[in-house]
Amino acid sequence: MKKALIIINVSKEESMTLAQEIARYLEKKGIQHDFLSFDGFVDNTDFKGYDFVVSLGGDGTVLYAARNASKYGLPVFPVNLGEFGFIASVQPEEWEKELKSFLDGKSSFEKRTMLKVDVIRDGKKIYSSLSLNDAVISTQRGVSTVMLSVKRNNLPLCNLKADGLIIATPTGSTAYSTAAGGPIVSPDLEAFVLTPLNSFSLSSRPVVLSPDSKLEVTVEKSRAKDLYFTVDGQEPFQIKVGDIITVILNKKKAKLVACSTEKFYNALRSKLNWSGVPHA
């Protein structure tokens, strides 16, 4: 390990102080570093040339880091400065111990499934991205409904009249998808979840799809205006009638350091109050 990128969520007051502490620690180890400020908006920063990435913020910061780091197979060391920390599971008080273990080669990577999403318009690809959490089709105006037809592996799966559609990874199953009634899926599985948003049909239910699935979602004509396709809640892209959104599992997975499945279940127990008492 020769060079690290430290991503600082500027909305977290403690992130700059912690970044300086980590930078001094890396310098003692002979590891160069650069800082990158993250304010929730996506930029075109290239992560090429780094050996690993340190994420200082909440789960949103990890999502940004993972989408970019996975392109080069870089591991992400996520320190949680947010509220839930389903993904960023390294707590601020334990960063030095966990980082030392990682640099000494004693930490394993948790490999997380990612989605590869494309938007096709008039036979041409006009947008492409990766997603660690989810990809959502919705309207900017919450009172409008969208009409969508969905195919799986070229066979019709369903037609939806709904407020939208969430396509979530196992990692993202605890986010927007769960709030919309979708299942919680263990993050070590290879699968993804299709969750309708307030469907007009009572028979429309969330579906867990196998890893070999290829989804094709066609935007049908409706009264809805200002339709958007949003990746990880951070990359909104305007879509229109006739657009086809394709979704498959990405070949490369996100590499998260010190984010074991055990920590995920501990987060469920404590932060979703599965223990029966708050924060047990």
Side-chain angles (χ1 to χ4, degrees):
M1 298 291 182
K2 297 181 179 179
K3 192 173 184 181
L5 177 64
I6 303 175
I7 301 177
I8 305 168
N9 187 316
V10 296
S11 68
K12 310 293 182 183
E13 293 183 2
E14 64 271 46
S15 62
M16 183 56 73
T17 301
L18 186 55
Q20 295 295 340
E21 292 178 8
I22 293 176
R24 288 192 291 269
Y25 180 85
L26 293 177
E27 288 171 0
K28 292 179 182 178
K29 296 286 187 178
I31 299 173
Q32 300 177 14
H33 65 272
D34 289 327
F35 293 118
L36 174 64
S37 296
F38 175 67
D39 59 4
F41 295 96
V42 176
D43 61 21
N44 294 317
T45 301
D46 192 343
F47 285 25
K48 186 177 182 180
Y50 297 100
D51 295 305
F52 67 98
V53 177
V54 177
S55 168
L56 303 178
D59 285 349
T61 312
V62 183
L63 295 174
Y64 168 75
R67 286 199 309 275
N68 290 279
S70 63
K71 298 174 185 176
Y72 302 102
L74 305 181
V76 176
F77 183 84
V79 181
N80 179 40
L81 301 179
E83 295 180 13
F84 280 98
F86 277 112
I87 312 175
S89 59
V90 177
Q91 299 307 310
E93 64 274 10
E94 63 181 4
W95 72 262
E96 187 170 348
K97 178 190 73 174
E98 295 287 0
L99 186 55
K100 181 180 185 302
S101 178
F102 167 61
L103 294 177
D104 289 345
K106 297 179 180 179
S107 292
S108 59
F109 305 137
E110 181 81 2
K111 294 184 179 180
R112 298 287 181 88
T113 295
M114 300 188 75
L115 303 177
K116 182 182 184 301
V117 296
D118 298 309
V119 178
I120 311 298
R121 180 175 297 166
D122 299 326
K124 296 181 180 179
K125 185 189 299 184
I126 59 171
Y127 172 84
S128 184
S129 187
L130 301 177
S131 167
L132 177 57
N133 241 20
D134 52 35
V136 179
I137 301 169
S138 62
T139 175
Q140 204 171 41
R141 302 176 185 178
V143 295
S144 301
T145 57
V146 300
M147 298 287 290
L148 305 169
S149 60
V150 184
K151 290 182 179 181
R152 176 190 173 273
N153 296 348
N154 295 319
L155 295 175
L157 179 63
C158 62
N159 294 302
L160 289 175
K161 181 181 181 183
D163 288 350
L165 179 66
I166 305 168
I167 305 163
T169 66
T171 297
S173 70
T174 55
Y176 195 9
S177 178
T178 291
I184 293 175
V185 181
S186 183
D188 56 345
L189 296 180
E190 288 192 340
F192 53 107
V193 182
L194 202 64
T195 306
L197 276 171
N198 299 326
S199 173
F200 269 55
S201 172
L202 293 177
S203 62
S204 295
R205 291 289 184 264
V207 179
V208 180
L209 299 172
S210 60
D212 63 340
S213 299
K214 177 182 179 180
L215 284 184
E216 292 185 14
V217 183
T218 301
V219 181
E220 305 291 354
K221 187 176 181 179
S222 68
R223 295 181 180 179
K225 306 294 181 183
D226 299 325
L227 292 174
Y228 281 86
F229 180 62
T230 307
V231 171
D232 285 344
Q234 297 174 351
E235 289 188 22
F237 182 83
Q238 191 163 16
I239 56 178
K240 64 180 185 180
V241 173
D243 285 354
I244 299 174
I245 294 97
T246 64
V247 184
I248 60 174
L249 294 191
N250 193 47
K251 292 181 179 179
K252 292 184 178 180
K253 295 185 178 183
K255 294 180 179 179
L256 304 180
V257 180
C259 295
S260 65
T261 305
E262 179 182 352
K263 287 189 176 183
F264 169 82
Y265 285 110
N266 285 339
L268 286 182
R269 180 176 180 273
S270 62
K271 299 180 181 184
L272 292 187
N273 197 19
W274 281 15
S275 61
V277 292
H279 307 296

